[in-house]
Amino acid sequence: AVAVQRGGMVIAVERDAGRTALMRTNLRRLGASQVKVIEGDFLALDPLAEPQSHASAILVDPSCSNSGTLEHPQAPGRARLQRLSSFQEKALSHALSFPHVERVVYSTCSTHEEENEAVVAKVLKQFPGFRLERTLPFWPSRGSGALA
């Protein structure tokens, strides 16, 4: 919010045309003119191109098993979890490759360690300039605690 108040912008990337249209409609309704919506694949977004090359913060909200939602009570199969975590690793790695990024938030609605702690731990090994920051210190444990 502070960055936007200082003349910054928010870039939202969504590859699904229906969700992109809905996002644009909602943003117009809210008067959020500082949000640029890009319909496309985040993994294909060039970190060195304008305007995203100046991004200092990125929220990565990748596709996941949705196991933490009421709509998806069934556990996904092992193969699906592996496909999802592979994609999630690519998305998080891509976000960390932007030249001016200082903060990346990784968020899923999954309860599976393979989609959360394991993804973050694996990717952070490839990007030693970044570190994990506890954002909910009053919440003693989420998942296995592998990143505690």
Side-chain angles (χ1 to χ4, degrees):
V2 172
V4 170
Q5 290 172 348
R6 292 182 183 155
M9 87 163 61
V10 174
I11 301 170
V13 182
E14 172 58 60
R15 71 181 193 178
D16 181 80
R19 286 194 298 255
T20 300
L22 180 60
M23 188 184 320
R24 286 184 173 133
T25 299
N26 287 338
L27 290 168
R28 257 191 313 279
R29 183 177 49 80
L30 295 169
S33 59
Q34 72 282 17
V35 180
K36 175 183 171 80
V37 178
I38 298 172
E39 183 180 330
D41 183 355
F42 174 68
L43 295 178
L45 197 65
D46 182 357
L48 301 177
E50 296 291 331
Q52 65 268 14
S53 65
H54 298 289
S56 61
I58 297 176
L59 168 63
V60 178
D61 182 20
S63 299
C64 72
S65 66
N66 294 318
S67 58
T69 66
L70 295 175
E71 293 84 31
H72 295 18
Q74 286 187 325
R78 187 96 219 121
R80 177 161 161 66
L81 275 179
Q82 288 175 339
R83 283 191 309 274
L84 286 166
S85 65
S86 175
F87 168 75
Q88 293 155 348
E89 290 168 13
K90 290 175 189 170
L92 183 55
S93 293
H94 189 60
L96 292 172
S97 74
F98 282 66
H100 294 101
V101 73
E102 298 170 2
R103 183 167 302 219
V104 174
V105 175
Y106 176 77
S107 174
T108 73
C109 55
S110 169
T111 59
H112 298 286
E113 180 179 349
E114 297 93 329
E115 294 183 90
N116 293 300
E117 293 91 347
V119 168
V120 173
K122 185 173 182 180
V123 172
L124 283 179
K125 287 178 184 174
Q126 300 166 21
F127 292 88
F130 288 90
R131 64 180 169 78
L132 182 66
E133 187 169 315
R134 280 222 173 271
T135 57
L136 300 171
F138 54 86
W139 193 350
S141 177
R142 206 297 315 137
S144 71
L147 295 175

